[in-house]
Amino acid sequence: MTDILRRAREENVSLVRFLYADHGGIVRGKAAATARLAERIDSGIGHTRAMMAMSMMDELAPVDGMGPVGEVRIKPDPNTFVTLPYAFGAAAMLADQVNPDGTPWDGCARTFLRQAIAELGADGYELQAAFEPEFSLGRRDRADFVPIDESLCYSATGFHLAHDYTIDLVGALNKQGLEVEHYYPELGHGQQEIPIGHATALRAADNHVLLRETVRAVAIRHGLWASFAPKPLPDQAGNGAHLHASLWSHGGNAFADPSGQFGLSRLGHHFVGGVLAHLPALVALTCGSVNSYRRLAPSTWSGAYTCYGPDNREAAVRICSPIGATGSVNLELKPCDSSGNPYLALGGFIHAGLDGIRRRLDPGQPLLADPATLSSSERSRLAVARLPASLPEALDALAADSLLMSALGPLRSAAYLAVKRSEAAHFARHDVGYECYQHWMRF
Ligand code: GLU
Ligand code: MG
């Protein structure tokens, strides 16, 4: 606390944003004035419970317990304090939503991830993770998103065209402690990718929120617009946020076994088995918007089928070959994008994998081909199934998945389904152009 107050004073911070991600995948919050900061870190800022029933269209879904009556506090996690390099005078902290008496609120998404981490910890494991973010850089021209370039995938020209923006972005991320690992212009027009280093699960989700904010805010300062919408332009490559993860225990990577198939331990195979078993439901969390399902299509490297394979970029779960040391093997979940709530996505992923470990699930045979190129009988023989093709289909799968539903708990699951069903109903009344516009505006 003393350290935060000192930093706020030294860096001329007058407002500290307390941020959280809602069920619609939107990052929202309230800011505390520095003069009241110590008190507000302690007590949080009062907030209506109804905000976790708000959709990405700011429509309030009917959820018992999330109406006009009832209060939570947006309580910041002091470990997450960062001054915002793109917003002079402002800092931010990621926040939980707690009951007025300070106890955890069962509608809070960050608490869901904390609980998943604790459950994993009780079995002796810690998850290291990172989201691998792709986004589109362009300009807003009224209702049109105009990509900054038409450069080719990984092309040197793409580096030139986005350079001024990218250098500012890298600086702003590094200053917040998000260590940039790589950067490259990606396949789609204006598409960029900027992976950052892995971290413990809670930090990885917090980092993804900070990154989303930074990418957009730096773009605004350059007179540009940046979007994480899964498919901002229907005829261009989609934006994924592949989830990379490994499990650690006793200081070592428990997914690594040099003598295991593809260097992946038996435990890792069980984890994959759990993820694949729950994946049709899990995508309701990892691919959380209507627009997500325009991206999640066969043969677009987004992982549209339930299968896994070593360095197979069409498999939902890719076993990434170790870089350098054999112990660096990790799993990559491709059906994941930035329009969902990262706390729910990562928490759901942990529950699915842990279920695979506990039940020693077998992931079946690895696949070394694009599943879309197999015949349908071959796919059924290998138990390779197409993932939900729409948000409503994914929500039905989630509602039918007793493990994920009970992990979410009655309030959170009811609110999530209600919010997402209201978004699905909203976009069902509109065309593709409107759907893409609303998503690139908001994500
Ligand atoms: N843009 C692809 C997606 O939607 C991923 C391309 C890649 O493999 O990096 O997930
Ligand atoms: Mg990529």
Side-chain angles (χ1 to χ4, degrees):
M1 174 84 86
T2 338
D3 189 43
I4 289 175
L5 297 176
R6 181 184 50 75
R7 282 178 62 196
R9 228 184 3 260
E10 279 173 11
E11 301 190 40
N12 292 313
V13 168
S14 37
L15 283 175
V16 182
R17 301 175 190 176
F18 295 3
L19 300 175
Y20 68 93
D22 73 5
H23 284 144
I26 305 289
V27 179
R28 305 189 192 245
K30 289 182 172 174
T34 308
R36 306 290 295 274
L37 189 56
E39 199 183 311
R40 290 295 174 246
I41 290 176
D42 231 38
S43 66
I45 302 181
H47 202 48
T48 166
R49 290 173 174 235
M51 285 309 292
M52 283 308 269
M54 196 72 121
S55 77
M56 64 167 276
M57 299 307 297
D58 260 3
E59 288 169 346
L60 210 47
V63 181
D64 270 350
M66 291 187 186
V69 181
E71 190 81 348
V72 288
R73 315 280 308 173
I74 309 177
K75 189 155 179 349
D77 179 342
N79 293 321
T80 64
F81 181 88
V82 282
T83 53
L84 298 177
Y86 53 79
F88 181 75
M93 283 185 266
L94 282 316
D96 293 325
Q97 294 180 74
V98 301
N99 290 311
D101 66 3
T103 55
W105 180 47
D106 47 11
C108 169
R110 197 165 181 268
T111 300
F112 172 69
L113 177 54
R114 281 183 189 281
Q115 289 163 346
I117 292 167
E119 212 168 310
L120 196 59
D123 279 27
Y125 305 109
E126 184 189 270
L127 189 98
Q128 284 281 320
F131 290 92
E132 182 188 296
E134 294 174 333
F135 63 94
S136 304
L137 185 65
R139 291 188 175 78
R140 288 178 64 170
D141 182 5
R142 279 178 233 149
D144 288 330
F145 176 76
V146 184
I148 191 172
D149 64 31
E150 296 181 5
S151 68
L152 303 176
C153 192
Y154 308 133
S155 80
T157 302
F159 279 96
H160 300 317
L161 291 167
H163 178 78
D164 291 355
Y165 168 78
T166 311
I167 285 298
D168 275 3
L169 175 64
V170 170
L173 291 170
N174 285 334
K175 273 192 201 133
Q176 293 168 84
L178 278 69
E179 191 200 324
V180 173
E181 286 202 339
H182 306 114
Y183 156 75
Y184 25 88
E186 254 272 16
L187 175 63
H189 292 174
Q191 195 176 33
Q192 319 289 327
E193 177 167 330
I194 191 149
I196 56 161
H198 60 86
T200 54
L202 189 63
R203 174 67 68 173
D206 288 342
N207 281 351
H208 196 53
V209 173
L210 293 174
L211 180 129
R212 275 175 54 182
E213 291 315 296
T214 308
V215 161
R216 170 147 301 169
V218 174
I220 291 172
R221 290 175 71 87
H222 280 258
L224 300 169
W225 191 253
S227 173
F228 285 94
K231 202 79 166 173
L233 301 164
D235 61 342
Q236 291 294 316
N239 290 316
H242 305 168
L243 175 55
H244 287 261
S246 53
L247 270 197
W248 289 69
S249 85
H250 306 297
N253 180 355
F255 278 174
D257 177 357
S259 63
Q261 194 186 26
F262 318 121
L264 185 69
S265 63
R266 187 174 289 273
L267 183 98
H269 280 90
H270 293 320
F271 194 97
V272 175
V275 170
L276 293 180
H278 293 284
L279 198 52
L282 181 61
V283 290
L285 303 175
T286 57
C287 298
S289 70
V290 167
N291 194 237
S292 292
Y293 295 83
R294 207 170 288 289
R295 162 183 172 260
L296 188 55
S299 300
T300 57
W301 298 32
S302 59
Y305 290 88
T306 57
C307 55
Y308 77 104
D311 286 333
N312 182 348
R313 290 182 164 79
E314 279 296 350
V317 178
R318 169 184 164 215
I319 303 170
C320 302
S321 48
I323 318 162
T326 49
S328 67
V329 68
N330 71 89
L331 299 177
E332 175 182 26
L333 180 73
K334 295 225 159 218
C336 184
D337 65 53
S338 297
S339 64
N341 179 310
Y343 301 99
L344 297 185
L346 198 40
F349 176 78
I350 289 175
H351 281 290
L354 188 56
D355 186 45
I357 292 176
R358 287 176 176 168
R359 294 198 289 139
R360 308 178 69 75
L361 293 181
D362 176 2
Q365 279 182 42
L367 197 69
L368 288 143
D370 176 353
T373 63
L374 304 180
S375 67
S376 54
S377 60
E378 188 66 357
R379 277 198 297 268
S380 352
R381 190 183 68 77
L382 296 166
V384 171
R386 174 75 170 90
L387 284 167
S390 70
L391 181 60
E393 249 183 72
L395 295 172
D396 288 347
L398 177 60
D401 187 307
S402 53
L403 178 102
L404 290 178
M405 287 296 280
S406 95
L408 288 166
L411 179 66
R412 200 182 277 108
S413 61
Y416 189 76
L417 291 172
V419 164
K420 289 293 152 188
R421 286 190 169 132
S422 106
E423 290 174 3
H426 182 100
F427 288 110
R429 298 193 291 271
H430 296 276
D431 66 6
V432 184
Y434 175 88
E435 172 205 306
C436 292
Y437 166 67
Q438 295 297 345
H439 284 79
W440 66 249
M441 280 265 293
R442 286 164 167 72
F443 296 107

